[in-house]
Each structure stands twice: as structure tokens, then as C-alpha cells.
Amino acid sequence: MTRRTTPGSRLPRAAAPYARIKQHLKNELSRGRWPPGEAMPSDAELVAQFRVSRMTVTRALNELRAEGLIERVQGVGTFAAHLARVASQLRIRDLHEEILARGHRHRARVHLARAEAASEGVARSLGLTVGAQVFHTLIVHFEDDVALQCEDRHVNPASAPDYLGCDFTRITPTQYLLQVAPLWEARYSIEAALPSAREARLLGIGRGDPCLVVQRRTVGNGRPITTARLVHPGARYLLQGEFKP
Amino acid sequence: MTRRTTPGSRLPRAAAPYARIKQHLKNELSRGRWPPGEAMPSDAELVAQFRVSRMTVTRALNELRAEGLIERVQGVGTFAAHLARVASQLRIRDLHEEILARGHRHRARVHLARAEAASEGVARSLGLTVGAQVFHTLIVHFEDDVALQCEDRHVNPASAPDYLGCDFTRITPTQYLLQVAPLWEARYSIEAALPSAREARLLGIGRGDPCLVVQRRTVGNGRPITTARLVHPGARYLLQGEFKP
DNA sequence: CAGTGGTCTAGACCACATA
DNA sequence: ATGTGGTCTAGACCACTGT
């Protein structure tokens, strides 16, 4: 019931109790107290230590867990996470957004946009039968007239029946598909490879120039939506990201 | 006060109310109700609709926000997120863990481990003065005798004074540094490039073979810890990850 | 001002693990 | 039986935004 906030004073507002608990545990963890896997204070102990209700402790601990710093097991306790096993998170920005963020102009050139019969590989990754209809686009994306990405994409017609009706010089396939199917899961793989002859030609690079190749498969509501092969000239494109525990 | 859980029966336990609210909103979002930026139901409306207390609604909404699906603004309301602007999250696993997970053996060959005077570039990224002492290791990592990564690393002595005392055939630099400084932030960049002559030799590949090059800079407690250049043969290495909203 | 989200409390019942 | 975390309630006060 007690309220600890400063009264009429103009002091900087005190940090929220849940945030203080969280920061305290973060500090102790960063100092190496509680090696990975070791038991940390229980909810009850933190309630007593910080003179706070249990919901407040729970919130701090749940957020730490969401950040991967601790593990909680019902009936057992709270433990420091095995950080080496914590995967880093790399943030990948949409190419269109990235170009705009740099204050440049994004242009797209559509080299192909048609319905085709699904090959075996495409059918498998989109959950279709071989020979079924599939939409296929091949688009090169430019940043101020510099080719940055060659996007070879196949789309499941069941997920986006009007896909081919879009003007892809005005809206990117990614943007359109996000409208049609707002939520999805994606699986990525990223590798370095040499471009195919056609990709080299479309990107205006040599066949020996290394490229960053991103393969992405997207599933929404349990239904495969699209697969894409995104080829970027290595000398022009950089994936960037950060990891914050 | 009312408890809705099934009594003595052995029915599958009902989903937690906060989880039901969360799932309901997720479903509606995925169906395209509330286009990006549009106002969603307020806390009070959800309280009335689901007959739960406000804490329960708050939890569901806070988790959706943490997942990047909604935005909440104090004094204004709750809104559907602009998904196109939501960056994808790519999970990067530690190489050592990845090799073990595949059931293979990890071997490391140390080609260099010594203290050096910091060059200008190294000094800048580690926050040192040019010519100051810096630790430098060059290690090649193998998965069952196949070279997978060439790790060229510089370490700030202030963050890990005993770094050079490690046996890097038994513990990876990453593992050791995680022990010494358990929490950190990292900035990545990933690009495709050709290996240097030395890297090609150490990895046993040709100079024309494209490589995935990861640059990583790590900072802990506000102090730079280490920078690393990780070179992977493109034909042997694949970064994989997934994104789940 | 009314309406919104941000946070907290002092309980409570539950499922689960261990002994 | 005890102790752990998981979840929920019915309030409450606060800060902020817009009218």
C-alpha cells in the first residue's frame, strides 16, 4: 500500500521497483556471482530482500528469462543461464527500409513475373505437388542505380492469389506479402557463394565476385507462403546486427 | 476470486487466461484486422471482454509488445505494429556448440597467441591508445578435421588479463571470455569476401573461394572486450536462423 | 477533464519437485 | 510436507495525452 514515489519534488523519478530488481540481478550476474547453472535467490527471498510484493519479483524474473539470462523451473528454482549456449540475435532489416533510412532512392526492375509449374524443389518447400501452379518473380533492387540485391522468389498462390497483379516497382514483394499475410515465421540460411551467370549479369558483377546469399522460407498460419533466394554482391552489401543480453 | 480450473477431473488443463487473450489477439492480427498503426482495444475493453483482471490483460499485451507485434503508448493507446519495420531476428549459434550438437568433434589449432602493440585500427575498436599492449590470437577451428573457421582475435588486456594463459585447444576464446566477463553486447557485421592468402592457406581453400566473414565487436560493462574476424569457407559453412513473431 | 497505459499490493490457489 | 515457480484477483495510485 505504501507509495515510495517522491512527493511534490522535481527530483528524477525513482526507477520502478521491478526495474531495480532486474538491474540488481543483472549486475550480480555480470560480476560472475552464480556461475552458469547455479541456483539464484528464490522468489520468496527476493520478496523479503526488496520489501516488495511477489508479482513485482515475478515480473523482474520473467523479463530476465525472456532475455535468456536466467532459467526458471517450476518446483525447483531459478538458475543462472548457460550463456555460452545462448544464441546471439542478429537483427536483419528489410532492404527497402534500409535504403530509405540511408536517405537514398529504392528502385526495382522486374525481369520476370509469371505463373509456372512447380519444379520438384519448389513444390517441396512450398508444400505443393510437382507441376502445380506457382508464382515466380525475379526482381533486381537498386539503391540509387547501384544493384544491391537479386531477388528470385516463388509464391504459393493459395496464400496470395493476386500476387502477380502487383506493380513491384511500387511495392516490394515483402511489403505486399506482409499485407496479405501479416504474421509469419521464417527460416533463414546465409552463406557465401558465387553468383550464377544470370545473377552476375543482372547485378553487373563478375562471376568470380563473392556474394552473400540469403535463402528464406516463410510460413504463415501453418501454410507455406513463399521462398526466396536473395543474392547480394559481397562488396556492396553488409548484414549488420547486434546482440544485447 | 473465482477459479475456473477443472476440479478433480482429468481433462486437459484449460489454457491460462493471459495466454488465451494473447492468442486471440495474435489470431486477429494475423487475419489482418487492425492494419499496421491502427488502434486496438484498450486495456479496459479487454478486461470487460474477457472478464479478467487488468493485470492479466497487461501481461498478455506486454508479451505481445516484447515480441514486436504491438505498440503501446501511455496516455494514447495500443496499436498494431508496423510489421514491415520489424527487423527479423537471426539466431547465431556458437560454433563450438554447433559442432557438438551435430555429434562431431571440435579441434582447434593455435597459430598465434601473443601480446602485441596495438595498431591504429585495433586501438580504435578496443578503446586503447596506439601502441598499447593487446593480446592477439589466430586460431583455426576444425569439425572432424575439416577447417570451418579462421578466428583472428584481439583482446583488451584490461578485460581479460590472463587471456594468453589459456589452452585454446581445450577451451574456445569465446567460452573463456564469457567466464571472465559474463555479460556483454556485441555488434556484428556479415559479408561475403575472398580470403586473404594466409586465410586461404590455413583453411585449405583456394583464393577464389568465397567466404562468409563475420566481424564482431564485444563490449562488457561499458568496456571493450574483444574484436574478432571470423572467416568461414562459404561452401562449408551456413548460418541458419529463424524468425517467429 | 476523461481516458489511456505503467506499476504496485497482499493476498490466493495451483502444479510440480524433492524428500 | 515443504518449498518452488505459475498464475490470478480487485483493487489502487501514478504519468501521460488529448479535448
Side-chain angles (χ1 to χ4, degrees):
Chain A
M1 219 63 72
T2 49
R3 304 261 73 228
R4 277 169 251 59
T5 48
T6 51
S9 70
R10 281 299 91 196
L11 295 172
R13 204 169 68 262
Y18 89 90
R20 293 201 319 108
I21 298 171
K22 203 175 148 183
Q23 190 55 52
H24 170 262
L25 294 173
K26 240 175 175 168
N27 289 343
E28 295 290 287
L29 281 165
S30 85
R31 290 185 44 253
R33 191 169 167 179
W34 314 306
E38 183 155 318
M40 293 172 57
S42 71
D43 289 20
E45 287 168 336
L46 291 170
V47 164
Q49 179 181 345
F50 287 90
R51 317 295 215 82
V52 103
S53 92
R54 196 176 151 219
M55 277 299 281
T56 302
V57 166
T58 294
R59 176 168 179 188
L61 292 176
N62 278 344
E63 293 193 3
L64 287 174
R65 172 166 58 183
E67 295 172 21
L69 296 185
I70 66 173
E71 290 162 12
R72 311 189 76 191
V73 184
Q74 191 176 83
V76 184
T78 300
F79 307 89
H82 290 271
L83 277 186
R85 293 185 193 154
V86 169
S88 302
Q89 300 278 347
L90 179 66
R91 189 165 272 116
I92 300 179
R93 301 180 56 184
D94 181 62
L95 182 66
H96 177 72
E97 300 281 338
E98 201 167 314
I99 290 173
L100 294 188
R102 284 198 282 254
H104 293 167
R105 217 179 67 249
H106 173 223
R107 242 176 12 97
R109 186 128 147 223
V110 182
H111 288 272
L112 195 151
R114 66 180 184 203
E116 295 178 354
S119 69
E120 200 212 315
V122 170
R124 183 159 14 90
S125 62
L126 287 183
L128 303 171
T129 59
V130 176
Q133 189 190 56
V134 65
F135 298 149
H136 184 192
T137 52
L138 180 62
I139 300 172
V140 179
H141 297 275
F142 295 83
E143 172 172 11
D144 282 350
D145 303 326
V146 176
L148 262 200
Q149 181 188 84
C150 179
E151 174 192 25
D152 192 347
R153 182 182 293 274
H154 292 267
V155 174
N156 184 349
S159 294
D162 300 326
Y163 179 69
L164 292 180
C166 295
D167 177 1
F168 291 121
T169 62
R170 300 195 52 88
I171 183 173
T172 68
T174 298
Q175 289 174 323
Y176 176 72
L177 292 171
L178 271 172
Q179 284 178 16
V180 175
L183 284 192
W184 33 261
E185 301 180 11
R187 298 190 65 89
Y188 290 85
S189 72
I190 299 178
E191 62 185 319
L194 296 178
S196 70
R198 181 168 68 171
E199 286 161 355
R201 178 167 45 80
L202 293 178
L203 290 169
I205 60 175
R207 289 221 52 186
D209 293 343
C211 287
L212 202 61
V213 179
V214 177
Q215 284 269 5
R216 187 168 60 184
R217 183 165 169 274
T218 303
V219 177
N221 286 330
R223 183 160 62 184
I225 298 175
T226 180
T227 64
R229 170 183 162 92
L230 311 171
V231 181
H232 313 80
R236 297 179 196 158
Y237 189 76
L238 208 57
L239 266 178
Q240 286 182 328
E242 44 191 287
F243 170 54
K244 289 187 201 174
Chain B
M1 221 59 73
T2 47
R3 303 261 75 228
R4 278 166 249 61
T5 47
T6 52
S9 71
R10 281 301 90 197
L11 296 171
R13 201 168 71 262
Y18 88 91
R20 293 201 319 107
I21 298 171
K22 201 175 149 184
Q23 190 56 50
H24 171 261
L25 293 173
K26 240 174 174 168
N27 289 344
E28 295 290 288
L29 281 165
S30 85
R31 289 185 45 252
R33 190 168 167 181
W34 312 308
E38 183 154 317
M40 293 173 57
S42 70
D43 289 20
E45 287 168 336
L46 291 170
V47 163
Q49 180 181 347
F50 287 92
R51 317 292 212 85
V52 294
S53 88
R54 196 177 150 219
M55 278 299 280
T56 303
V57 166
T58 295
R59 175 168 180 186
L61 293 176
N62 278 344
E63 292 192 4
L64 287 173
R65 172 166 59 182
E67 295 173 22
L69 296 184
I70 66 173
E71 290 162 14
R72 311 190 75 191
V73 183
Q74 191 176 78
V76 184
T78 300
F79 306 89
H82 289 273
L83 277 186
R85 293 186 194 154
V86 169
S88 301
Q89 300 279 346
L90 178 66
R91 189 165 272 113
I92 300 179
R93 301 181 56 183
D94 180 61
L95 182 67
H96 177 72
E97 300 281 338
E98 202 167 314
I99 290 174
L100 294 187
R102 283 198 282 254
H104 293 166
R105 216 177 68 249
H106 173 225
R107 239 172 20 92
R109 186 128 146 224
V110 181
H111 288 274
L112 193 150
R114 67 180 182 202
E116 294 178 355
S119 69
E120 199 213 314
V122 169
R124 183 159 13 89
S125 62
L126 288 182
L128 302 172
T129 58
V130 176
Q133 190 190 55
V134 65
F135 299 148
H136 184 192
T137 53
L138 180 62
I139 300 172
V140 179
H141 297 275
F142 295 82
E143 172 172 10
D144 284 349
D145 303 326
V146 177
L148 263 200
Q149 181 188 86
C150 180
E151 175 192 24
D152 192 346
R153 182 181 292 274
H154 291 267
V155 174
N156 184 348
S159 294
D162 301 326
Y163 179 69
L164 292 179
C166 294
D167 177 2
F168 291 120
T169 63
R170 300 195 52 90
I171 183 174
T172 68
T174 298
Q175 290 174 323
Y176 175 72
L177 291 171
L178 271 171
Q179 284 178 16
V180 176
L183 284 190
W184 33 261
E185 300 180 11
R187 297 191 65 88
Y188 291 85
S189 73
I190 299 178
E191 62 185 321
L194 296 178
S196 69
R198 180 168 70 169
E199 286 161 354
R201 179 167 45 81
L202 293 177
L203 290 168
I205 60 176
R207 289 220 52 185
D209 293 343
C211 287
L212 202 61
V213 179
V214 177
Q215 283 269 7
R216 187 167 60 183
R217 183 164 169 276
T218 303
V219 176
N221 286 329
R223 184 161 60 185
I225 299 176
T226 180
T227 64
R229 171 182 162 94
L230 311 171
V231 180
H232 313 80
R236 298 181 195 157
Y237 189 77
L238 208 58
L239 266 178
Q240 286 183 329
E242 45 191 284
F243 170 55
K244 290 184 196 172

